Amino acid sequence: MLKILATRVEQGCRTLPFPSALATLPERFRGRPTLDHSKCPDGCQACADACPVQALQAGGAMQLDLGRCLFCRDCLDACPEGAIAYTRDYRLASTKRQDLVLQGDEVPRVHALDQKMRKLFGRSLKLREVCAGSCNGCEMELQALNNVVFDLGRFGVQFVASPRHADGLIVTGPVTENMRVALLNTYEAIPSPKLVIAVGACAISGGPFRDSAQVRNGVEGLLPVDLYLPGCPPHPLTLLDGLLRLLGRIEDQTAVNYPRSD
């Protein structure tokens, strides 16, 4: 017992001082991509052709759909001019689907809940997660929110087992036909008012399974989405940042010059 206590004292506080201080992420972390149109040769489509999920449009007004992006580097490897780069900015969340379409160096915006909803959920938010055909990558990152590093519970946000005890629904996966009814039943079981949060490229757009006969290309069109959290899978800081911005716990959304990833 004394040895355990001594180890804990030696380790010190492991919880990130988020959001009061910016988190330090590894150099290889792939965060918000930036686009530089000025480097694109006329008529070049190399990055768009290399993208496995058609997240990029090039050849004119270049744009990248974060809701589809898998952060796989195929576009970077295909572009000899370096027109696309990843930063270490973990702020990817948005409350509007169209704001996930980037055309340069903009940061997607999260509009906080209105005063009535913030009064209800601002200090205590219970969430029920439904895996609607996910590979479990997003679930692993959601689970990481509960460890000592991110400590989601200190913000009053918790996962619950029953939808009847929940204030909102977190959806992962492209929504397979086998999970469609279960997802709708879970949503109906949550008392109103309620939130819907789409986590990961699959839940937002279908991800690599898009247009498959057995999936619905994500939760959009099936349920009203209040928050989009892109990534494949999204980093716990992306999840935490989006949730706190939605709850109005982080108000400063000004741009920060995050360094590029290697």
PDB file of all heavy atoms in Angstrom, residues 67-92:
ATOM      1  N   GLY A  67     -16.120  16.119 -42.764  1.00  0.00           N
ATOM      2  CA  GLY A  67     -17.071  15.073 -42.385  1.00  0.00           C
ATOM      3  C   GLY A  67     -16.815  13.759 -43.099  1.00  0.00           C
ATOM      4  O   GLY A  67     -17.299  12.711 -42.676  1.00  0.00           O
ATOM      5  N   ARG A  68     -16.048  13.815 -44.201  1.00  0.00           N
ATOM      6  CA  ARG A  68     -15.702  12.582 -44.913  1.00  0.00           C
ATOM      7  C   ARG A  68     -14.243  12.185 -44.699  1.00  0.00           C
ATOM      8  O   ARG A  68     -13.890  11.026 -44.878  1.00  0.00           O
ATOM      9  CB  ARG A  68     -15.922  12.774 -46.423  1.00  0.00           C
ATOM     10  CG  ARG A  68     -17.358  12.927 -46.848  1.00  0.00           C
ATOM     11  CD  ARG A  68     -17.450  12.831 -48.353  1.00  0.00           C
ATOM     12  NE  ARG A  68     -18.798  13.034 -48.872  1.00  0.00           N
ATOM     13  CZ  ARG A  68     -19.147  12.823 -50.123  1.00  0.00           C
ATOM     14  NH1 ARG A  68     -18.238  12.432 -51.001  1.00  0.00           N
ATOM     15  NH2 ARG A  68     -20.376  13.022 -50.507  1.00  0.00           N
ATOM     16  N   CYS A  69     -13.395  13.135 -44.351  1.00  0.00           N
ATOM     17  CA  CYS A  69     -11.945  12.918 -44.309  1.00  0.00           C
ATOM     18  C   CYS A  69     -11.571  11.824 -43.310  1.00  0.00           C
ATOM     19  O   CYS A  69     -12.051  11.807 -42.174  1.00  0.00           O
ATOM     20  CB  CYS A  69     -11.249  14.224 -43.945  1.00  0.00           C
ATOM     21  SG  CYS A  69      -9.448  14.094 -43.958  1.00  0.00           S
ATOM     22  N   LEU A  70     -10.676  10.914 -43.748  1.00  0.00           N
ATOM     23  CA  LEU A  70     -10.186   9.835 -42.889  1.00  0.00           C
ATOM     24  C   LEU A  70      -8.808  10.153 -42.325  1.00  0.00           C
ATOM     25  O   LEU A  70      -8.224   9.318 -41.627  1.00  0.00           O
ATOM     26  CB  LEU A  70     -10.126   8.524 -43.684  1.00  0.00           C
ATOM     27  CG  LEU A  70     -11.421   8.047 -44.344  1.00  0.00           C
ATOM     28  CD1 LEU A  70     -11.189   6.728 -45.067  1.00  0.00           C
ATOM     29  CD2 LEU A  70     -12.529   7.904 -43.316  1.00  0.00           C
ATOM     30  N   PHE A  71      -8.237  11.318 -42.652  1.00  0.00           N
ATOM     31  CA  PHE A  71      -6.921  11.734 -42.165  1.00  0.00           C
ATOM     32  C   PHE A  71      -5.867  10.677 -42.492  1.00  0.00           C
ATOM     33  O   PHE A  71      -5.028  10.328 -41.665  1.00  0.00           O
ATOM     34  CB  PHE A  71      -6.964  12.009 -40.652  1.00  0.00           C
ATOM     35  CG  PHE A  71      -7.860  13.154 -40.285  1.00  0.00           C
ATOM     36  CD1 PHE A  71      -9.236  13.025 -40.295  1.00  0.00           C
ATOM     37  CD2 PHE A  71      -7.325  14.365 -39.926  1.00  0.00           C
ATOM     38  CE1 PHE A  71     -10.068  14.088 -39.972  1.00  0.00           C
ATOM     39  CE2 PHE A  71      -8.141  15.441 -39.590  1.00  0.00           C
ATOM     40  CZ  PHE A  71      -9.521  15.289 -39.619  1.00  0.00           C
ATOM     41  N   CYS A  72      -5.897  10.191 -43.746  1.00  0.00           N
ATOM     42  CA  CYS A  72      -5.069   9.044 -44.111  1.00  0.00           C
ATOM     43  C   CYS A  72      -3.756   9.414 -44.787  1.00  0.00           C
ATOM     44  O   CYS A  72      -2.943   8.533 -45.048  1.00  0.00           O
ATOM     45  CB  CYS A  72      -5.871   8.128 -45.029  1.00  0.00           C
ATOM     46  SG  CYS A  72      -6.322   8.889 -46.609  1.00  0.00           S
ATOM     47  N   ARG A  73      -3.549  10.676 -45.165  1.00  0.00           N
ATOM     48  CA  ARG A  73      -2.323  11.167 -45.806  1.00  0.00           C
ATOM     49  C   ARG A  73      -2.251  10.848 -47.292  1.00  0.00           C
ATOM     50  O   ARG A  73      -1.261  11.210 -47.956  1.00  0.00           O
ATOM     51  CB  ARG A  73      -1.065  10.627 -45.126  1.00  0.00           C
ATOM     52  CG  ARG A  73      -0.647  11.323 -43.865  1.00  0.00           C
ATOM     53  CD  ARG A  73       0.749  10.869 -43.464  1.00  0.00           C
ATOM     54  NE  ARG A  73       1.727  11.248 -44.473  1.00  0.00           N
ATOM     55  CZ  ARG A  73       2.424  12.365 -44.445  1.00  0.00           C
ATOM     56  NH1 ARG A  73       2.248  13.211 -43.457  1.00  0.00           N
ATOM     57  NH2 ARG A  73       3.290  12.644 -45.386  1.00  0.00           N
ATOM     58  N   ASP A  74      -3.198  10.152 -47.881  1.00  0.00           N
ATOM     59  CA  ASP A  74      -3.097   9.837 -49.309  1.00  0.00           C
ATOM     60  C   ASP A  74      -3.035  11.105 -50.150  1.00  0.00           C
ATOM     61  O   ASP A  74      -2.324  11.171 -51.147  1.00  0.00           O
ATOM     62  CB  ASP A  74      -4.301   8.977 -49.747  1.00  0.00           C
ATOM     63  CG  ASP A  74      -4.153   7.536 -49.297  1.00  0.00           C
ATOM     64  OD1 ASP A  74      -3.143   7.233 -48.640  1.00  0.00           O
ATOM     65  OD2 ASP A  74      -5.045   6.722 -49.604  1.00  0.00           O
ATOM     66  N   CYS A  75      -3.784  12.140 -49.767  1.00  0.00           N
ATOM     67  CA  CYS A  75      -3.782  13.388 -50.530  1.00  0.00           C
ATOM     68  C   CYS A  75      -2.439  14.104 -50.396  1.00  0.00           C
ATOM     69  O   CYS A  75      -1.937  14.699 -51.359  1.00  0.00           O
ATOM     70  CB  CYS A  75      -4.926  14.296 -50.089  1.00  0.00           C
ATOM     71  SG  CYS A  75      -4.964  14.644 -48.321  1.00  0.00           S
ATOM     72  N   LEU A  76      -1.850  14.050 -49.197  1.00  0.00           N
ATOM     73  CA  LEU A  76      -0.545  14.693 -49.003  1.00  0.00           C
ATOM     74  C   LEU A  76       0.526  14.007 -49.844  1.00  0.00           C
ATOM     75  O   LEU A  76       1.370  14.669 -50.469  1.00  0.00           O
ATOM     76  CB  LEU A  76      -0.137  14.645 -47.536  1.00  0.00           C
ATOM     77  CG  LEU A  76      -0.614  15.783 -46.629  1.00  0.00           C
ATOM     78  CD1 LEU A  76      -2.118  15.691 -46.405  1.00  0.00           C
ATOM     79  CD2 LEU A  76       0.109  15.751 -45.290  1.00  0.00           C
ATOM     80  N   ASP A  77       0.497  12.706 -49.868  1.00  0.00           N
ATOM     81  CA  ASP A  77       1.494  11.957 -50.636  1.00  0.00           C
ATOM     82  C   ASP A  77       1.326  12.176 -52.134  1.00  0.00           C
ATOM     83  O   ASP A  77       2.298  12.086 -52.892  1.00  0.00           O
ATOM     84  CB  ASP A  77       1.382  10.465 -50.311  1.00  0.00           C
ATOM     85  CG  ASP A  77       1.719  10.169 -48.848  1.00  0.00           C
ATOM     86  OD1 ASP A  77       2.418  10.995 -48.231  1.00  0.00           O
ATOM     87  OD2 ASP A  77       1.261   9.136 -48.333  1.00  0.00           O
ATOM     88  N   ALA A  78       0.084  12.448 -52.578  1.00  0.00           N
ATOM     89  CA  ALA A  78      -0.165  12.624 -54.006  1.00  0.00           C
ATOM     90  C   ALA A  78       0.141  14.040 -54.475  1.00  0.00           C
ATOM     91  O   ALA A  78       0.246  14.276 -55.684  1.00  0.00           O
ATOM     92  CB  ALA A  78      -1.625  12.286 -54.325  1.00  0.00           C
ATOM     93  N   CYS A  79       0.275  14.982 -53.544  1.00  0.00           N
ATOM     94  CA  CYS A  79       0.463  16.387 -53.921  1.00  0.00           C
ATOM     95  C   CYS A  79       1.946  16.765 -53.821  1.00  0.00           C
ATOM     96  O   CYS A  79       2.466  16.919 -52.711  1.00  0.00           O
ATOM     97  CB  CYS A  79      -0.371  17.291 -53.021  1.00  0.00           C
ATOM     98  SG  CYS A  79      -0.169  19.051 -53.396  1.00  0.00           S
ATOM     99  N   PRO A  80       2.638  16.918 -54.932  1.00  0.00           N
ATOM    100  CA  PRO A  80       4.065  17.274 -54.867  1.00  0.00           C
ATOM    101  C   PRO A  80       4.300  18.723 -54.486  1.00  0.00           C
ATOM    102  O   PRO A  80       5.417  19.103 -54.149  1.00  0.00           O
ATOM    103  CB  PRO A  80       4.542  16.998 -56.303  1.00  0.00           C
ATOM    104  CG  PRO A  80       3.325  17.206 -57.145  1.00  0.00           C
ATOM    105  CD  PRO A  80       2.155  16.780 -56.319  1.00  0.00           C
ATOM    106  N   GLU A  81       3.258  19.556 -54.549  1.00  0.00           N
ATOM    107  CA  GLU A  81       3.408  20.984 -54.289  1.00  0.00           C
ATOM    108  C   GLU A  81       3.209  21.337 -52.818  1.00  0.00           C
ATOM    109  O   GLU A  81       3.438  22.472 -52.421  1.00  0.00           O
ATOM    110  CB  GLU A  81       2.394  21.773 -55.136  1.00  0.00           C
ATOM    111  CG  GLU A  81       2.414  21.431 -56.618  1.00  0.00           C
ATOM    112  CD  GLU A  81       3.743  21.764 -57.254  1.00  0.00           C
ATOM    113  OE1 GLU A  81       4.417  22.682 -56.749  1.00  0.00           O
ATOM    114  OE2 GLU A  81       4.113  21.107 -58.250  1.00  0.00           O
ATOM    115  N   GLY A  82       2.729  20.406 -52.007  1.00  0.00           N
ATOM    116  CA  GLY A  82       2.511  20.692 -50.592  1.00  0.00           C
ATOM    117  C   GLY A  82       1.339  21.629 -50.351  1.00  0.00           C
ATOM    118  O   GLY A  82       1.360  22.433 -49.411  1.00  0.00           O
ATOM    119  N   ALA A  83       0.307  21.540 -51.179  1.00  0.00           N
ATOM    120  CA  ALA A  83      -0.846  22.424 -51.034  1.00  0.00           C
ATOM    121  C   ALA A  83      -1.737  22.022 -49.857  1.00  0.00           C
ATOM    122  O   ALA A  83      -2.573  22.808 -49.413  1.00  0.00           O
ATOM    123  CB  ALA A  83      -1.670  22.422 -52.322  1.00  0.00           C
ATOM    124  N   ILE A  84      -1.568  20.809 -49.355  1.00  0.00           N
ATOM    125  CA  ILE A  84      -2.370  20.323 -48.232  1.00  0.00           C
ATOM    126  C   ILE A  84      -1.424  19.958 -47.088  1.00  0.00           C
ATOM    127  O   ILE A  84      -0.372  19.339 -47.316  1.00  0.00           O
ATOM    128  CB  ILE A  84      -3.187  19.076 -48.625  1.00  0.00           C
ATOM    129  CG1 ILE A  84      -4.005  19.359 -49.887  1.00  0.00           C
ATOM    130  CG2 ILE A  84      -4.100  18.641 -47.494  1.00  0.00           C
ATOM    131  CD1 ILE A  84      -4.650  18.127 -50.473  1.00  0.00           C
ATOM    132  N   ALA A  85      -1.768  20.351 -45.883  1.00  0.00           N
ATOM    133  CA  ALA A  85      -0.938  20.022 -44.718  1.00  0.00           C
ATOM    134  C   ALA A  85      -1.838  19.798 -43.514  1.00  0.00           C
ATOM    135  O   ALA A  85      -2.902  20.407 -43.394  1.00  0.00           O
ATOM    136  CB  ALA A  85       0.061  21.148 -44.444  1.00  0.00           C
ATOM    137  N   TYR A  86      -1.399  18.916 -42.651  1.00  0.00           N
ATOM    138  CA  TYR A  86      -2.089  18.721 -41.376  1.00  0.00           C
ATOM    139  C   TYR A  86      -1.447  19.618 -40.324  1.00  0.00           C
ATOM    140  O   TYR A  86      -0.229  19.760 -40.282  1.00  0.00           O
ATOM    141  CB  TYR A  86      -1.986  17.267 -40.916  1.00  0.00           C
ATOM    142  CG  TYR A  86      -2.860  16.306 -41.679  1.00  0.00           C
ATOM    143  CD1 TYR A  86      -2.300  15.328 -42.484  1.00  0.00           C
ATOM    144  CD2 TYR A  86      -4.241  16.381 -41.588  1.00  0.00           C
ATOM    145  CE1 TYR A  86      -3.091  14.441 -43.182  1.00  0.00           C
ATOM    146  CE2 TYR A  86      -5.044  15.503 -42.282  1.00  0.00           C
ATOM    147  CZ  TYR A  86      -4.463  14.533 -43.074  1.00  0.00           C
ATOM    148  OH  TYR A  86      -5.262  13.660 -43.767  1.00  0.00           O
ATOM    149  N   THR A  87      -2.267  20.207 -39.485  1.00  0.00           N
ATOM    150  CA  THR A  87      -1.764  20.943 -38.328  1.00  0.00           C
ATOM    151  C   THR A  87      -1.978  20.081 -37.087  1.00  0.00           C
ATOM    152  O   THR A  87      -2.544  18.987 -37.163  1.00  0.00           O
ATOM    153  CB  THR A  87      -2.510  22.267 -38.150  1.00  0.00           C
ATOM    154  OG1 THR A  87      -3.857  22.007 -37.755  1.00  0.00           O
ATOM    155  CG2 THR A  87      -2.509  23.078 -39.443  1.00  0.00           C
ATOM    156  N   ARG A  88      -1.557  20.600 -35.946  1.00  0.00           N
ATOM    157  CA  ARG A  88      -1.820  19.889 -34.687  1.00  0.00           C
ATOM    158  C   ARG A  88      -3.011  20.498 -33.960  1.00  0.00           C
ATOM    159  O   ARG A  88      -3.126  20.380 -32.736  1.00  0.00           O
ATOM    160  CB  ARG A  88      -0.568  19.900 -33.818  1.00  0.00           C
ATOM    161  CG  ARG A  88       0.375  18.767 -34.143  1.00  0.00           C
ATOM    162  CD  ARG A  88       1.599  18.798 -33.280  1.00  0.00           C
ATOM    163  NE  ARG A  88       2.676  19.545 -33.914  1.00  0.00           N
ATOM    164  CZ  ARG A  88       3.781  19.932 -33.307  1.00  0.00           C
ATOM    165  NH1 ARG A  88       3.954  19.634 -32.036  1.00  0.00           N
ATOM    166  NH2 ARG A  88       4.703  20.601 -33.941  1.00  0.00           N
ATOM    167  N   ASP A  89      -3.891  21.140 -34.706  1.00  0.00           N
ATOM    168  CA  ASP A  89      -5.095  21.739 -34.137  1.00  0.00           C
ATOM    169  C   ASP A  89      -6.177  20.661 -34.011  1.00  0.00           C
ATOM    170  O   ASP A  89      -6.627  20.106 -35.010  1.00  0.00           O
ATOM    171  CB  ASP A  89      -5.573  22.879 -35.047  1.00  0.00           C
ATOM    172  CG  ASP A  89      -6.699  23.681 -34.422  1.00  0.00           C
ATOM    173  OD1 ASP A  89      -7.193  23.281 -33.351  1.00  0.00           O
ATOM    174  OD2 ASP A  89      -7.084  24.703 -35.015  1.00  0.00           O
ATOM    175  N   TYR A  90      -6.596  20.392 -32.795  1.00  0.00           N
ATOM    176  CA  TYR A  90      -7.590  19.343 -32.547  1.00  0.00           C
ATOM    177  C   TYR A  90      -9.017  19.865 -32.660  1.00  0.00           C
ATOM    178  O   TYR A  90      -9.969  19.115 -32.522  1.00  0.00           O
ATOM    179  CB  TYR A  90      -7.392  18.738 -31.150  1.00  0.00           C
ATOM    180  CG  TYR A  90      -7.293  19.778 -30.056  1.00  0.00           C
ATOM    181  CD1 TYR A  90      -8.425  20.366 -29.510  1.00  0.00           C
ATOM    182  CD2 TYR A  90      -6.054  20.210 -29.600  1.00  0.00           C
ATOM    183  CE1 TYR A  90      -8.335  21.335 -28.532  1.00  0.00           C
ATOM    184  CE2 TYR A  90      -5.944  21.178 -28.618  1.00  0.00           C
ATOM    185  CZ  TYR A  90      -7.081  21.737 -28.083  1.00  0.00           C
ATOM    186  OH  TYR A  90      -6.976  22.709 -27.122  1.00  0.00           O
ATOM    187  N   ARG A  91      -9.204  21.160 -32.913  1.00  0.00           N
ATOM    188  CA  ARG A  91     -10.547  21.744 -32.962  1.00  0.00           C
ATOM    189  C   ARG A  91     -11.188  21.463 -34.324  1.00  0.00           C
ATOM    190  O   ARG A  91     -10.938  22.174 -35.295  1.00  0.00           O
ATOM    191  CB  ARG A  91     -10.475  23.238 -32.699  1.00  0.00           C
ATOM    192  CG  ARG A  91      -9.919  23.580 -31.312  1.00  0.00           C
ATOM    193  CD  ARG A  91      -9.654  25.052 -31.191  1.00  0.00           C
ATOM    194  NE  ARG A  91      -8.735  25.494 -32.227  1.00  0.00           N
ATOM    195  CZ  ARG A  91      -8.491  26.767 -32.503  1.00  0.00           C
ATOM    196  NH1 ARG A  91      -9.105  27.709 -31.849  1.00  0.00           N
ATOM    197  NH2 ARG A  91      -7.630  27.084 -33.458  1.00  0.00           N
ATOM    198  N   LEU A  92     -12.001  20.441 -34.391  1.00  0.00           N
ATOM    199  CA  LEU A  92     -12.629  20.021 -35.641  1.00  0.00           C
ATOM    200  C   LEU A  92     -14.149  20.049 -35.561  1.00  0.00           C
ATOM    201  O   LEU A  92     -14.820  19.917 -36.580  1.00  0.00           O
ATOM    202  CB  LEU A  92     -12.182  18.596 -35.991  1.00  0.00           C
ATOM    203  CG  LEU A  92     -10.673  18.327 -36.070  1.00  0.00           C
ATOM    204  CD1 LEU A  92     -10.424  16.852 -36.295  1.00  0.00           C
ATOM    205  CD2 LEU A  92     -10.037  19.145 -37.175  1.00  0.00           C
TER     206      LEU A  92
END
